[in-house]
Amino acid sequence: MISKNLTAASTKPIILGILKQGNSYGYLIIKKIKELSGGKMKYSDGMLYPVLHRLEKEGLIISTWVMEDDSVRPRKYYEITEAGKKELIQEQAQWSEVNAVLNAIWTTQ
Amino acid sequence: MKNNNNKVPKLAHLFFRWYCKKEMYEELHGDLEEFFYERVKDKGPFKARLLYIWDVIRCCQSYAVRKPKTQNTTIMMLNNYFKTSTRSLLKNPLTSFINIFGLAVAIGICLTVYAFMDFEYKIDQFHANKGQVYLTTFYTNRDGSIERYGMSPAPLGELLSTDFPQIQKVCRVEESNVVVKYEDEVFHETLTYVDPSFLEMFTFPLGKGVNKSLNDLNSIILSHDMAIKYFGDDNVLGKDLEVIFSDSNKKVFKVAGVAEPFPKPHDLGFNFLIHFDNLDYARPTNDLSNWDQFITATFIQVNDPNQIAGLEEGMEKYKLLQNEKNSDWAIESFSLEPFVTLYANSAEIRKAIVYNGSAEGRIALPIIAIFMLGLACFNYINISIVSAAKRLKEIGVRKVIGASKNKIAFQFLFENIFVTLFALVLGLLLAVFMFLPWFIGISERSMELNFFNPELWIFLSIVLVFTGVVSGLYPAFYISKFNVIRIFRGSVHFGKKNPLTKLFLGFQLIMASILMTGAVMLTQNSNFQAKRTWGYDPNNVLYVELPDSSAFNRLEAQLIQNTNVVSVAGAIHHLGNNHTTTVIHQPDRKYEVDRLSVGPKYFETMGLQLKAGRFFKDHSENDHAAIVVNELFVENLNLSQPIGHVFEIDSMRYEVVGVVENFHLYNFYYEVLPTIFSLAETTDYKFMAIEVKSGAQPITYATLKKDWAVLFPEIPFQGDFQTRLWDNFYKDLQTQKTFSTTIATIAILLASLGLYGLVMLNVSGRVREFSIRKVFGAETKNIIKSVTNQYVLLTVISMIIGAPISYVLNKALIGMMFPETMQADYFGAFIAVFIIVSVLLTVVSTQIFRVVKSNPVDGLKME
């Protein structure tokens, strides 16, 4: 199981990354993260929604209510903006650097 | 038909709907529902419903919870008061400090006293059957006064268990000093003989072994401390310990149990427990069916405490048995003391198995705590009233915009509780890190503040509300009643000449005077007690306890070769160590006296002073029917010619052959009692007293210990300098001095802080007045007079009232503590008054200096 601190730190790039693959809503995002991490990363509602709302406030994502055929209620879909995509590139670069540092340390051990 | 189990739980859903923000409800609940339906498929409806409820609870966080449309006005108001209070505290840091620090010190003292009282009231209260256990006691007439005793006639326990079916259990207890040996280690120890019911009646938990092992005559149960002392750990079951009762009586016991460490608040305890019947072996001449014999205690346990009155009545029949056999200890009545109250009442029961040495502390300490809290509250009241002058406009504005009198009062009361809360936190820190460690050091009690104990939090809440309301109520109502028009006209002048302010300051000064006089008088008395003589000369004397009948001769033979030894004497009893009581029969009355049985050289060796007649002669058979008495004995029995007077003691006739000066058997807390000496047989000696050349005590003591190790390798040395017998007493005197001086210093500190605050506020409010006075040419002495006028008169009146009260109260207190006290005079009170006035003058002069040095131009500009 990945620690809560690490999960919390990676929330932003993960959400932006998922939304870059296509629009999505809360339930689907949580499910997708669970699937991708093989159940090692667990998101609670308390972690996800405040981040989604913050990203929307920062203009990195936008939301729209969509009424789908398979559902009896509308769902709030989130979509990444251009600013969000730029932010994601920066995040990717930073995480890659962190990854490179960690790799460099561990391969020399 | 729709299955209800496949729907989200209704109550949880309603709860979610109630707390969730409207704009977030659709989104969040939509997702929760999707999770729910997915779980219904994967995990079944039951688990899905449980997880839904869990999700609803988890979502109840600040991001999702809706804010109330309108805020509660009370909360807004309290919020406002909180802001005002904080601003007011920060605006006047010095007065805030005086208030908070004063209250904190008082609360810290209250908490320390709480820890002490909590510890005291918990002593011996951990036993599960405490409510059903009783100690047998009896009342007896000792020379006209009825005394209660906690020891018990030896046959009583057995008779009680056979005669009274309502008694569930009986436990006899006897304690004695023995030597305990394990391998090469030997120690003097106190051994407790008990019936096997002891561990059922008193639930000391055993860490190792079982209670039933006490049924075995060859088993011994150790306290945790003893297990560590002898074996290094408590894993000792089955190990052998040898108990040496006397030179001819030894027995090996098997360790069958080790008690858990006793809870800290305990008085009844033990080091070693063995079966009561071992007494037959340890003291073969003992006859436990003889009413002449007494044991340490007899406890009983009953099912129904309502049977106690009937039991006490039923025990009357034993009176005859006892009084026939032992008329000197004629019993008036038997009585049963509940174990629950035994410790608290033990100061009133002579020779009880437990002893409460802090009975005075239980009364005095709460009084001191209330005194201190009172001093701090008076400070607060005074400073609040005077400093409110600075907040007149605030009060006026509040009233103009509609605040009622009650609202203003409530605001000030709230502020006060807020200040008290600060003080409470600081007081708690002071108690934990300063007062309590200090008090534990001087009282040698391992008390603590247990923060997991709800009683402590209840006490803290009571202190908070009590202090907050008591100190804040008067200022709050006083301040709130002012007329708004007069405030804005500037015609309200209050505080500075408030008679109640002066009254409170007067009280403070009187209290400080009482405590300071107490400190001075206790110090004087301690010095007096330290200089008193003992009625003999303990300085050049060493003493040692003897293990057996031949020990005296063997040790004496060794010691007379030592050139530093002046004389050697034997005795059954020894001054400062032990004695017995006996009853003198006269034709018209019985008279109880203290008795010591000593060898003929004992008087000279100990330096007892002969007033008339002679001491015992060496090798005189006749002197076995002679006694030497002290002066008080002669005085109390009105003997005009004591020498040659004959008394009957234990059916034998004794003639008075000598009178010695009064001397102290024990320390100066105990009064000198009529005492007799009788001649002891050499083979019965239990002590040896050794007089050595002046200055040779340490070297002789070292030699004595070496000689002892050669002569008695199996018996640990037990002896010391005679002067060291009083080390604890002198330490106690020192503690009294330290304690009373500390308390008095705190009292003066509080009173000084209060006065400083008052003078400072007074001076700050009169800056313009002083400036004008100076501009018109007022001299320094006029300024000083103007500042100090009201305080000088107040101090003088307070001291005139306080000094005599202090003198009378403290004289009575010292009289209660010591039977013989110094010739108390007013000197102590004068010194106290002098100290208080000096401190107050210093405090006031700092403000006078400020006024005198200030530039009048600045003062006029400022206002």
Side-chain angles (χ1 to χ4, degrees):
Chain A
M1 188 64 73
I2 293 168
S3 75
K4 264 192 173 178
N5 283 345
L6 199 55
T7 308
S10 58
T11 310
K12 192 175 172 185
I14 286 176
I15 293 174
L16 290 176
I18 289 171
L19 293 182
K20 202 187 166 203
Q21 292 174 357
N23 299 352
S24 192
Y25 60 99
Y27 165 75
L28 269 188
I29 295 173
I30 292 174
K31 261 188 91 174
K32 187 134 193 186
I33 294 171
K34 200 177 164 189
E35 272 170 29
L36 289 171
S37 67
K40 285 180 186 164
M41 233 177 187
K42 267 193 180 170
Y43 269 70
S44 64
D45 321 288
M47 282 167 81
L48 181 72
Y49 294 110
V51 179
L52 280 174
H53 295 157
R54 183 162 52 82
L55 294 178
E56 191 177 12
K57 221 174 172 182
E58 287 171 5
L60 302 177
I61 56 175
I62 49 169
S63 62
T64 31
W65 285 97
V66 177
M67 188 70 194
E68 287 177 318
D69 300 340
D70 66 336
S71 175
V72 288
R73 62 173 189 88
R75 288 173 179 143
K76 195 177 188 183
Y77 269 82
Y78 291 93
E79 182 187 350
I80 191 165
T81 60
E82 283 308 312
K85 284 174 189 166
K86 280 181 193 163
E87 183 72 21
L88 180 61
I89 291 166
Q90 278 183 20
E91 285 279 338
Q92 277 173 337
Q94 283 177 21
W95 280 96
S96 301
E97 275 170 31
V98 172
N99 191 31
V101 171
L102 289 174
N103 275 334
I105 292 166
W106 291 328
T107 47
T108 54
Q109 277 175 355
Chain B
M1 196 178 131
K2 222 175 181 177
N3 187 353
N4 268 347
N5 280 342
N6 290 344
K7 285 173 93 177
V8 293
K10 202 175 174 185
L11 274 178
H13 180 205
L14 283 174
F15 175 61
F16 183 79
R17 204 171 181 157
W18 174 76
Y19 76 69
C20 188
K21 282 178 188 163
K22 213 172 180 182
E23 65 274 18
M24 292 186 76
Y25 172 78
E26 276 297 323
E27 180 188 8
L28 289 183
H29 198 254
D31 290 347
L32 287 186
E33 265 189 344
E34 286 204 32
F35 274 118
F36 173 75
Y37 291 122
E38 185 195 314
R39 285 169 186 155
V40 169
K41 278 184 209 157
D42 297 345
K43 299 180 177 173
F46 179 73
K47 273 194 175 176
R49 287 167 73 83
L50 283 181
L51 287 168
Y52 173 84
I53 295 168
W54 175 233
D55 282 344
V56 166
I57 295 167
R58 244 180 14 178
C59 281
C60 188
Q61 292 180 37
S62 58
Y63 74 92
V65 174
R66 70 170 79 177
K67 301 267 181 305
K69 273 180 197 163
T70 51
Q71 280 208 331
N72 189 324
T73 50
T74 312
I75 293 172
M76 280 172 69
M77 187 179 70
L78 289 177
N79 196 20
N80 187 273
Y81 289 170
F82 176 76
K83 273 185 198 164
T84 325
S85 307
T86 321
R87 282 175 194 154
S88 166
L89 282 179
L90 295 174
K91 201 175 165 192
N92 306 298
L94 192 64
T95 46
S96 305
F97 168 77
I98 292 172
N99 278 336
I100 292 175
F101 182 73
L103 283 173
V105 169
I107 289 172
I109 290 173
C110 282
L111 281 169
T112 309
V113 173
Y114 170 83
F116 170 79
M117 297 299 279
D118 184 53
F119 185 89
E120 278 287 304
Y121 281 102
K122 281 189 177 143
I123 286 178
D124 288 341
Q125 301 302 312
F126 60 91
H127 297 289
N129 303 319
K130 62 180 181 187
Q132 297 162 313
V133 174
Y134 292 79
L135 172 74
T136 62
T137 66
F138 62 84
Y139 289 93
T140 180
N141 188 333
R142 313 309 287 168
D143 199 39
S145 87
I146 302 291
E147 301 283 354
R148 191 180 187 190
Y149 283 81
M151 58 193 193
S152 140
L156 186 65
E158 264 194 301
L159 287 175
L160 284 172
S161 61
T162 49
D163 292 355
F164 296 96
Q166 62 268 48
I167 295 179
Q168 209 185 348
K169 289 182 187 112
V170 172
C171 179
R172 294 166 297 170
V173 182
E174 172 68 340
E175 291 174 335
S176 73
N177 295 324
V178 295
V179 171
V180 175
K181 185 178 176 200
Y182 177 66
E183 294 177 345
D184 293 335
E185 301 264 17
V186 279
F187 295 100
H188 283 281
E189 302 288 4
T190 304
L191 179 76
T192 312
Y193 306 80
V194 293
D195 283 314
S197 54
F198 182 82
L199 287 176
E200 291 161 14
M201 292 165 81
F202 302 105
T203 47
F204 293 103
L206 288 190
K208 299 274 180 338
V210 288
N211 292 356
K212 282 183 182 168
S213 52
L214 260 183
N215 287 309
D216 182 0
L217 278 172
N218 300 315
S219 290
I220 190 164
I221 288 178
L222 275 59
S223 69
H224 181 263
D225 289 352
M226 288 301 117
I228 301 295
K229 178 177 172 181
Y230 281 83
F231 304 102
D233 61 38
D234 63 356
N235 200 11
V236 297
L237 293 190
K239 294 199 175 170
D240 289 339
L241 269 185
E242 188 179 11
V243 176
I244 302 168
F245 301 106
S246 67
D247 53 334
S248 55
N249 272 4
K250 300 173 185 177
K251 184 173 175 180
V252 174
F253 289 88
K254 216 165 253 319
V255 178
V258 178
E260 298 266 16
F262 301 142
K264 281 177 189 168
H266 80 274
D267 194 78
L268 181 73
F270 59 85
N271 289 333
F272 301 90
L273 287 182
I274 59 170
H275 194 292
F276 192 82
D277 290 348
N278 279 301
L279 257 184
D280 296 336
Y281 179 80
R283 298 177 196 161
T285 53
N286 242 22
D287 177 10
L288 291 172
S289 61
N290 186 351
W291 287 88
D292 229 1
Q293 303 277 325
F294 287 89
I295 57 170
T296 308
T298 300
F299 287 100
I300 62 161
Q301 185 176 332
V302 292
N303 274 332
D304 179 9
N306 292 325
Q307 295 166 334
I308 290 303
L311 268 175
E312 284 174 334
E313 241 172 66
M315 286 168 76
E316 286 292 295
K317 62 184 173 192
Y318 302 134
K319 253 172 61 179
L320 276 178
L321 293 170
Q322 166 72 23
N323 296 350
E324 257 175 34
K325 185 74 189 170
N326 195 342
S327 58
D328 285 349
W329 280 89
I331 287 175
E332 300 275 325
S333 65
F334 281 100
S335 153
L336 295 165
E337 176 67 27
F339 185 69
V340 176
T341 54
L342 177 59
Y343 177 76
N345 296 337
S346 59
E348 306 297 321
I349 306 173
R350 293 172 76 171
K351 298 189 178 173
I353 191 169
V354 295
Y355 176 66
N356 176 4
S358 49
E360 296 91 354
R362 282 181 175 212
I363 302 165
L365 289 177
I367 293 174
I368 289 174
I370 293 169
F371 247 51
M372 290 296 170
L373 207 54
L375 277 177
C377 285
F378 287 156
N379 262 358
Y380 186 85
I381 295 170
N382 282 349
I383 291 175
S384 296
I385 291 172
V386 178
S387 62
K390 287 187 177 177
R391 294 173 68 183
L392 279 178
K393 280 182 186 155
E394 177 198 330
I395 298 163
V397 171
R398 276 189 190 274
K399 283 199 164 189
V400 165
I401 58 173
S404 65
K405 192 177 147 187
N406 285 347
K407 281 260 162 61
I408 300 278
F410 181 72
Q411 180 203 341
F412 277 88
L413 210 54
F414 178 87
E415 263 185 34
N416 195 36
I417 290 183
F418 180 68
V419 169
T420 313
L421 191 66
F422 256 111
L424 194 79
V425 175
L426 189 61
L428 205 60
L429 294 174
L430 281 174
V432 172
F433 295 107
M434 223 169 128
F435 297 154
L436 207 50
W438 169 75
F439 194 54
I440 289 170
I442 62 166
S443 68
E444 292 173 354
R445 279 168 187 271
S446 34
M447 50 210 159
E448 58 188 8
L449 283 172
N450 179 3
F451 291 102
F452 297 106
N453 183 0
E455 283 170 20
L456 173 65
W457 293 103
I458 294 171
F459 177 76
L460 284 175
S461 313
I462 292 171
V463 168
L464 175 69
V465 174
F466 175 81
T467 316
V469 171
V470 163
S471 60
L473 206 59
Y474 178 74
F477 282 101
Y478 185 83
I479 291 159
S480 63
K481 73 179 181 189
F482 285 105
N483 184 313
V484 66
I485 298 168
R486 288 187 61 211
I487 288 175
F488 287 119
R489 271 191 191 152
S491 57
V492 173
H493 297 290
F494 69 95
K496 287 168 198 164
K497 292 198 174 169
N498 185 315
L500 210 67
T501 307
K502 286 182 183 167
L503 189 69
F504 288 152
L505 186 63
F507 263 126
Q508 281 185 310
L509 293 174
I510 291 171
M511 281 186 193
S513 147
I514 291 172
L515 291 169
M516 197 64 223
T517 309
V520 173
M521 284 175 77
L522 274 171
T523 306
Q524 284 180 313
N525 182 62
S526 294
N527 295 339
F528 166 79
Q529 300 292 346
K531 282 181 192 155
R532 282 177 70 186
T533 56
W534 295 90
Y536 63 95
D537 185 10
N539 292 321
N540 299 332
V541 177
L542 306 175
Y543 74 92
V544 59
E545 285 188 34
L546 302 170
D548 56 56
S549 54
S550 66
F552 179 79
N553 288 335
R554 292 170 69 192
L555 195 59
E556 187 188 30
Q558 191 74 26
L559 285 173
I560 50 173
Q561 296 168 32
N562 190 330
T563 50
N564 285 324
V565 174
V566 178
S567 73
V568 170
I572 296 175
H573 306 105
H574 179 57
L575 290 174
N577 210 304
N578 68 343
H579 74 279
T580 184
T581 51
T582 197
V583 175
I584 300 259
H585 291 261
Q586 283 199 295
D588 57 333
R589 67 192 274 206
K590 286 179 186 175
Y591 189 61
E592 188 182 337
V593 294
D594 286 347
R595 176 178 181 171
L596 292 103
S597 298
V598 299
K601 286 187 194 163
Y602 191 79
F603 300 96
E604 288 97 337
T605 306
M606 295 303 295
L608 287 154
Q609 299 299 312
L610 189 69
K611 293 292 284 186
R614 63 173 175 84
F615 295 135
F616 298 132
K617 289 178 188 160
D618 218 352
H619 308 297
S620 165
E621 274 306 308
N622 288 342
D623 276 0
H624 283 293
I627 52 172
V628 174
V629 300
N630 69 348
E631 285 176 296
L632 189 67
F633 180 95
V634 176
E635 196 181 307
N636 284 8
L637 289 178
N638 290 321
L639 303 176
S640 51
Q641 285 294 329
I643 307 298
H645 205 98
V646 175
F647 294 97
E648 190 189 316
I649 306 167
D650 293 337
S651 314
M652 277 183 66
R653 291 169 67 76
Y654 288 84
E655 184 188 334
V656 177
V657 295
V659 178
V660 289
E661 247 181 37
N662 285 335
F663 57 90
H664 286 270
L665 262 180
Y666 294 101
N667 62 45
F668 300 141
Y669 287 128
Y670 301 92
E671 58 186 328
V672 173
L673 291 172
T675 309
I676 64 166
F677 290 93
S678 56
L679 189 61
E681 291 285 356
T682 314
T683 49
D684 294 335
Y685 288 166
K686 297 270 188 280
F687 290 91
M688 177 186 271
I690 305 149
E691 186 192 355
V692 298
K693 285 182 185 164
S694 181
Q697 299 95 319
I699 190 163
T700 318
Y701 182 69
T703 317
L704 176 65
K705 281 178 90 172
K706 268 187 206 162
D707 291 344
W708 182 276
V710 175
L711 290 171
F712 313 103
E714 275 207 335
I715 310 294
F717 177 81
Q718 206 166 17
D720 215 331
F721 294 64
Q722 182 71 15
T723 46
R724 284 194 196 152
L725 277 171
W726 317 119
D727 279 358
N728 282 341
F729 171 68
Y730 288 119
K731 199 175 144 197
D732 214 31
L733 287 182
Q734 192 56 41
T735 302
Q736 279 170 24
K737 270 203 268 189
T738 315
F739 182 78
S740 55
T741 312
T742 309
I743 294 295
T745 309
I746 294 174
I748 292 183
L749 177 78
L750 290 181
S752 310
L753 277 177
L755 186 70
Y756 181 80
L758 282 182
V759 178
M760 189 196 66
L761 288 168
N762 190 307
V763 167
S764 310
R766 295 167 66 191
V767 172
R768 188 158 59 169
E769 177 198 327
F770 290 128
S771 302
I772 293 169
R773 277 173 190 265
K774 282 170 110 176
V775 167
F776 279 100
E779 288 178 31
T780 306
K781 66 178 181 187
N782 298 105
I783 303 279
I784 293 173
K785 202 176 157 194
S786 170
V787 175
T788 55
N789 229 352
Q790 50 178 320
Y791 302 112
V792 169
L793 188 65
L794 185 68
T795 309
V796 169
I797 292 171
S798 303
M799 292 301 119
I800 288 171
I801 298 170
I805 295 176
S806 314
Y807 170 75
V808 172
L809 282 180
N810 286 298
K811 197 180 166 194
L813 174 78
I814 295 172
M816 271 162 62
M817 288 163 70
F818 295 91
E820 194 179 328
T821 60
M822 58 175 183
Q823 284 293 322
D825 49 27
Y826 280 106
F827 187 64
F830 281 134
I831 294 178
V833 168
F834 176 74
I835 294 172
I836 293 172
V837 170
S838 306
V839 172
L840 296 184
L841 275 178
T842 314
V843 165
V844 174
S845 59
T846 57
Q847 289 305 306
I848 292 171
F849 186 74
R850 197 181 123 199
V851 176
V852 171
K853 285 282 163 195
S854 67
N855 186 343
V857 178
D858 294 338
L860 290 170
K861 265 188 202 165
M862 196 175 77
E863 289 203 11

